[in-house]
Amino acid sequence: MSLTKKIILIFLLIFISSTLAFMLINNKKSEKYNKNINVVNNKSKVKEHKNKYLEKRNFSCSEVIYNDKSIPVIMYHSIDNKEDSELRVSTNKFLEQMTYLKENNYTTLTLDELYEFFINNKPVPKKSLVITFDDGYRDNYENAYPILKKFDFHAIIFVVTSTIDNDVNCLTSNQIKEMKFNGIDIQSHTLKHDNLYELTYNEQLETLKKSKNDLEKMLNNKVKYLAYPYGMWNDNTIKALKECDYIMAFTTNSGWANKDNGLYKLNRVYINGNADLNEFKRRINNANY
Ligand SMILES: [Zn+2]
């Protein structure tokens, strides 16, 4: 073989092998591209699922009530099978209570819906209630959240913002963010579980503002509702709440929530560890239990 032929052959071999290599790389790239497309598709599916909790609901089809009526706002704390404590409802009891609500066609309202009901008299189904948790226990994520999610229930957790990511018994920011996308609204229970009644006006303003700002930054949505730690508040508290753009607040006073009490003094139905299913039913079926 002449030198020229050898050179041509070598060039030909180089050309063929680089073409093959190019095709191989491109194939890999398109595989990767297809995978990415799948990820995007899956993401939009997740988004679709998440958004169902954020849709504005109209309740005109069912039997409805107007704001001359009261609504039970249930107050829970810890949900766990750990040792008994008044503040702790066992996971089994909680499941039993939620199952009762589901089987009896209760609607779990968001706080925005409750606010619209009170302020603009927007009707809600006759069997409506609100589920709230105080303090932000980690077991709310571990035990209550899977049950709420299974039943497609809305709920609100009032968190003590200084404990987030800092206390092993309390919620982490990742847990909070995950729940936010699945029907669980996160609102304020002050910065350090402060007894607002004992603080000066400026101190109250500070804890209300800081807890609200921290949560808004974390969640990227408005924080407008508060549950008073220890159920304690005074006139300064309400002034400070208005100053910080909170529009409703919840006490620990027993009873159903009614607009006549004022939107900063709403009652709640306390469900503790001692309540059996009959007591639960009694409290959510009788406005004057
Ligand atoms: Zn509390």
Side-chain angles (χ1 to χ4, degrees), residues 71-77 111 114 118 132-135 158 188-189 193 196 225-234 237-238 241 248-258 261-271 289:
I71 304 267
V73 178
I74 301 177
M75 172 176 62
Y76 289 110
H77 293 80
L111 290 185
L114 185 69
F118 284 141
T132 71
F133 299 82
D134 279 12
D135 302 332
F158 293 106
S188 172
H189 198 38
H193 207 268
L196 296 164
Y225 310 110
L226 181 102
Y228 300 116
Y230 314 104
M232 299 295 280
W233 54 272
N234 58 21
T237 316
I238 294 175
L241 283 169
M248 275 195 312
F250 296 85
T251 68
T252 52
N253 295 340
S254 299
W256 289 18
N258 188 292
N261 293 340
L263 294 197
Y264 294 95
K265 299 173 194 173
L266 295 168
N267 293 336
R268 285 189 290 172
V269 177
Y270 178 31
I271 300 295
Y289 65 85

Side-chain angles (χ1 to χ4, degrees), residues 7-231:
I7 289 169
I8 289 171
L9 197 68
I10 287 165
F11 269 110
L12 210 65
L13 279 173
I14 288 170
F15 176 72
I16 290 167
S17 52
S18 51
T19 309
L20 278 174
F22 178 74
M23 280 164 70
L24 208 70
I25 287 166
N26 256 1
N27 195 28
K28 280 248 164 80
K29 265 189 192 165
S30 79
E31 254 179 55
K32 208 173 161 192
Y33 174 74
N34 284 339
K35 265 187 200 158
N36 281 343
I37 287 284
N38 280 340
V39 168
V40 170
N41 283 342
N42 285 341
K43 265 189 186 163
S44 62
K45 259 182 212 159
V46 172
K47 214 171 177 186
E48 223 170 75
H49 170 73
K50 283 167 184 168
N51 279 347
K52 79 179 172 195
Y53 293 104
L54 302 174
E55 275 168 20
K56 283 221 167 191
R57 298 188 286 186
N58 270 315
F59 299 120
S60 50
C61 50
S62 42
E63 199 184 349
V64 293
I65 52 168
Y66 291 88
N67 71 5
D68 55 326
K69 295 281 189 298
S70 309
I71 304 267
V73 178
I74 301 177
M75 172 176 62
Y76 289 110
H77 293 80
S78 170
I79 306 292
D80 206 323
N81 286 330
K82 276 192 294 208
E83 74 274 16
D84 273 356
S85 133
E86 199 206 278
L87 288 177
R88 186 171 296 128
V89 171
S90 75
T91 311
N92 300 342
K93 270 189 180 172
F94 182 74
L95 174 61
E96 191 181 40
Q97 292 164 8
M98 294 303 109
T99 305
Y100 171 80
L101 298 182
K102 192 69 185 176
E103 285 175 352
N104 288 279
N105 299 316
Y106 274 87
T107 299
T108 52
L109 300 179
T110 65
L111 290 185
D112 289 347
E113 286 164 346
L114 185 69
Y115 182 77
E116 282 293 310
F117 169 77
F118 284 141
I119 285 289
N120 294 324
N121 204 14
K122 198 175 168 209
V124 297
K126 196 176 167 205
K127 281 181 173 177
S128 284
L129 48 72
V130 179
I131 301 171
T132 71
F133 299 82
D134 279 12
D135 302 332
Y137 288 96
R138 190 168 294 204
D139 60 41
N140 291 179
Y141 174 82
E142 291 161 348
N143 304 324
Y145 168 56
I147 295 170
L148 294 165
K149 204 169 141 196
K150 184 176 141 196
F151 290 144
D152 269 342
F153 280 171
H154 286 278
I156 299 90
I157 304 178
F158 293 106
V159 295
V160 177
T161 50
S162 67
T163 65
I164 301 169
D165 295 328
N166 291 322
D167 184 327
V168 288
N169 295 316
C170 296
L171 293 165
T172 68
S173 47
N174 283 338
Q175 291 168 339
I176 283 175
K177 284 178 198 165
E178 183 192 329
M179 288 192 287
K180 174 206 150 160
F181 282 108
N182 289 286
I184 314 297
D185 189 15
I186 310 295
Q187 298 288 327
S188 172
H189 198 38
T190 75
L191 191 58
K192 298 177 185 165
H193 207 268
D194 303 290
N195 184 343
L196 296 164
Y197 181 84
E198 289 178 345
L199 302 183
T200 65
Y201 174 70
N202 282 334
E203 287 167 342
Q204 294 196 37
L205 207 57
E206 163 111 24
T207 181
L208 296 175
K209 223 178 232 176
K210 178 105 173 66
S211 64
K212 179 185 166 85
N213 288 346
D214 289 353
L215 279 180
E216 287 184 346
K217 223 178 274 168
M218 183 188 297
L219 298 167
N220 202 20
N221 61 231
K222 284 275 170 216
V223 170
K224 302 177 274 189
Y225 310 110
L226 181 102
Y228 300 116
Y230 314 104

